[in-house]
Amino acid sequence: MFHTIRGYAVPHGSASPRRLVHGLRAAGLGVLLAGALATGAAPAGAAPDDTAHSAASFVDSVGVVTHFRYADTTYGQVDALLGKVKALGVHHIRDGLTPNPTPELLAAFHKLPDYGIRLNLVVGSAGVSDGVLPDPAALLGVAHDSGLRPIVETIETANEWDSKGGPQWLPDLQNYQCALFDAVHQNAEWADVPVIGPSVARRFRVPLLTGMADCQDYVNAHNYANGAPPEDALDLLDQARANAPGKPIIVTETGYHTALNRTQNQRPVTEDVKAQYLLRTLLENYAAGVTRTYVYQLADERVDPTLTEQEAYFGLIRPDLSETPAYQALQSLTSLLADQGTGAALTAPNAVTVTPSAQAQGTAGEVHHLLLTKADGTEYVVLWQRAALPDPAAASTTVRIDLAKPAAAFVVDGRGVTAQPQGNSVTVTGLDRVKVVQIGGSKPTFAPSTPPTAQPTVPATSGGSGHGVLLGVGALLLLLAAGGGATVAVLSHRAKSASDAEPAPQPLGSQPPGTGPTA
């Protein structure tokens, strides 16, 4: 039985499929960004309207996946990790509720308000091992009895149920989705909480998620790129939207791992590539109208000196709580764009034109930029190139930004800041890294931080568990991850047997199913 949306509030984002993002083939094309600021997405099918967005709205679009159910892993260090989330400038996490939650999980949830964090609560799949979805009304009862309502901002259905639901996974999921939607919106305590729709572990199954459009407030997508540039997975957003036209979209999982000796599942990337790809994922998703993107995941769950276990290397934080380059890159961007201004009208006072240099013609990817503005009128032009990293051509790309009025400007590369003479133009070189040009305002500063620690770099072993490979093979896979195409099949975060392989051909194979309490 299918249902009709009953007009419940959807607090973030809009139904429009595209925010303004400008792509320029690196051949001297100029795009004018000027005038009034818009915080919503451009209407479906509309041409870019040359407006900008609030910096705060981008920061608010970022979330992280946590697994506080696993108290015997890094996630047992609750306060330390929540402190890292707060320092990251992030206010949203995604985690799962089991039918019988442990005291440790509930204690972690109840600490979230102390750190200014809200929860996307995944219900239905966490802690379920028999392939049978639980009663959603009963799960809401568990959430009520556990005092979670003030903490929860959204509720998400069973995570990637195709990976554990058996042959009847799809009809079971369709029934469960609509039952969950009704259970939430017919319950006075939970009625105003938006319900997020389903995700799948394997990419080719996204078009199967039909018949549930009226039973979700947000469409869901997991746009992992299998170690390739994030732009290779943007088509998943359109596929997901097609299942529930007009609904806003949330990406509840995406990410990269750095287990360089891994030979199965997702392809690895280096730490520096992971940092840049994650920033580009968040920027591309935001520009494509995604309300929120949850990075998978906050912390590496365990130590793996062999570099073969990908679950040990998806995190922003290591098991010893040191910060990865990806954490520090994201922290620098959110710190730069954080905006405490309230009540002021958002305006972009200085029109700018962005022009890639003529010699950049023929590079592998488009140069893209996004214009963000703070309440005090300070503008930010975020620049990146859609290249597979490492890319020497992108490292030499030059972009000129022309200003309608002379202004002070600063080029920000991570935590590095270069002041520009006050004038009418700024030149930026090297878009193998995300760069930000701040126009106006005072020179940005960043809190001191400990340099990121290096992950283990040991030769892989042969024999034993069967995970070992020759170091040269691991290096070859890394090379493919950095510059290869997007046609390698990926099965899951957990190891899969050869009999689970994807039908061919399927670009990107499949999205890896989530792990931990949301799985």
Side-chain angles (χ1 to χ4, degrees):
M1 180 169 114
F2 302 116
H3 305 261
T4 302
I5 294 283
R6 298 163 179 82
Y8 303 105
V10 179
H12 305 295
S14 75
S16 306
R18 290 286 184 269
R19 281 192 176 91
L20 171 65
V21 65
H22 297 283
L24 303 102
R25 287 289 175 188
L29 299 177
V31 174
L32 182 67
L33 302 174
L37 185 84
T39 57
D49 57 4
D50 292 340
T51 57
H53 303 277
S54 75
S57 72
F58 171 77
V59 174
D60 191 59
S61 76
V62 181
V64 293
V65 176
T66 60
H67 293 150
F68 284 116
R69 175 189 172 199
Y70 290 164
D72 59 345
T73 71
T74 310
Y75 284 101
Q77 305 179 74
V78 176
D79 284 295
L81 288 179
L82 291 180
K84 290 290 189 181
V85 176
K86 182 176 181 179
L88 191 59
V90 169
H91 302 283
H92 313 279
I93 69 167
R94 172 191 187 249
D95 212 320
L97 180 70
T98 66
N100 298 291
T102 63
E104 292 83 1
L105 177 62
L106 295 178
F109 286 169
H110 282 289
K111 289 184 176 183
L112 298 183
D114 297 337
Y115 294 87
I117 299 170
R118 301 293 302 281
L119 175 64
N120 171 29
L121 187 67
V122 185
V123 296
S125 50
V128 175
S129 59
D130 58 3
V132 178
L133 287 162
D135 177 10
L139 287 173
L140 284 184
V142 172
H144 167 82
D145 294 342
S146 302
L148 298 184
R149 176 61 192 92
I151 303 165
V152 173
E153 61 179 344
T154 49
I155 290 177
E156 181 182 344
T157 194
N159 181 66
E160 296 181 344
W161 192 244
D162 63 318
S163 67
K164 60 169 46 178
Q168 290 295 113
W169 73 268
L170 182 55
D172 288 350
L173 179 61
Q174 290 170 329
N175 290 333
Y176 180 81
Q177 177 67 41
C178 290
L180 174 65
F181 186 87
D182 279 350
V184 171
H185 288 317
Q186 294 175 6
N187 183 310
E189 181 183 17
W190 300 91
D192 61 342
V193 179
V195 174
I196 301 174
S199 58
V200 286
R202 299 184 180 181
R203 164 190 182 118
F204 73 94
R205 289 175 175 157
V206 172
L208 300 179
L209 297 177
T210 58
M212 295 173 277
D214 290 340
C215 300
Q216 54 192 302
D217 298 309
Y218 284 97
V219 179
N220 193 356
H222 288 181
N223 64 340
Y224 290 93
N226 181 25
E231 295 82 10
D232 286 9
L234 290 177
D235 64 306
L236 288 172
L237 303 180
D238 292 331
Q239 290 183 38
R241 284 185 171 110
N243 293 326
K247 298 294 177 66
I249 187 169
I250 288 179
V251 169
T252 62
E253 282 189 29
T254 189
Y256 292 86
H257 77 83
T258 57
L260 299 183
N261 290 328
R262 184 72 173 181
T263 60
Q264 298 172 315
N265 315 122
Q266 288 207 57
R267 292 177 296 170
V269 297
T270 67
E271 293 218 302
D272 287 340
V273 170
K274 173 180 175 176
Q276 297 306 310
Y277 278 179
L278 278 180
L279 293 186
R280 282 164 52 182
T281 298
L282 295 167
L283 291 163
E284 292 278 8
N285 282 359
Y286 177 85
V290 174
T291 301
R292 183 158 297 127
T293 298
Y294 290 89
V295 174
Y296 188 95
Q297 63 172 322
L298 175 61
D300 292 336
E301 296 173 9
R302 56 189 175 274
V303 175
D304 168 42
T306 70
L307 299 178
T308 60
E309 296 295 333
Q310 64 183 35
E311 286 307 308
Y313 292 103
F314 269 100
L316 301 175
I317 299 293
R318 304 195 199 284
D320 64 0
L321 300 182
S322 59
E323 299 167 359
T324 67
Y327 178 97
Q328 294 199 348
L330 179 53
Q331 183 187 50
S332 298
L333 185 61
T334 58
S335 173
L336 178 68
L337 298 177
D339 188 8
Q340 304 302 319
T342 58
L346 293 174
T347 59
N350 200 342
V352 302
T353 304
V354 179
T355 309
S357 60
Q359 61 264 33
Q361 185 173 4
T363 55
E366 294 179 331
V367 173
H368 275 228
H369 64 277
L370 186 69
L371 180 62
L372 302 169
T373 305
K374 288 187 177 179
D376 65 1
T378 305
E379 295 170 87
Y380 299 86
V381 182
V382 188
L383 299 159
W384 68 97
Q385 187 162 0
R386 286 180 160 182
L389 300 177
D391 182 1
S396 62
T397 295
T398 298
V399 175
R400 189 185 74 248
I401 298 176
D402 294 310
L403 311 178
K405 299 181 295 183
F410 307 90
V411 177
V412 182
D413 179 357
R415 283 183 164 85
V417 180
T418 303
Q420 305 294 307
Q422 179 154 328
N424 289 91
S425 69
V426 178
T427 298
V428 179
T429 300
L431 293 189
D432 55 330
R433 296 170 56 84
V434 173
K435 303 284 179 71
V436 184
V437 177
Q438 175 182 312
I439 302 168
S442 57
K443 181 178 180 179
T445 58
F446 299 94
S449 63
T450 303
T453 60
Q455 69 180 25
T457 55
V458 299
T461 60
S462 60
S465 66
H467 291 303
V469 293
L470 294 176
L471 185 59
V473 176
L476 177 59
L477 289 174
L478 173 58
L479 178 62
L480 291 173
T487 59
V488 176
V490 190
L491 300 183
S492 72
H493 287 167
R494 302 302 186 191
K496 295 282 189 181
S497 68
S499 62
D500 293 325
E502 296 288 345
Q506 289 294 335
L508 286 182
S510 66
Q511 299 299 28
T515 57
T518 61

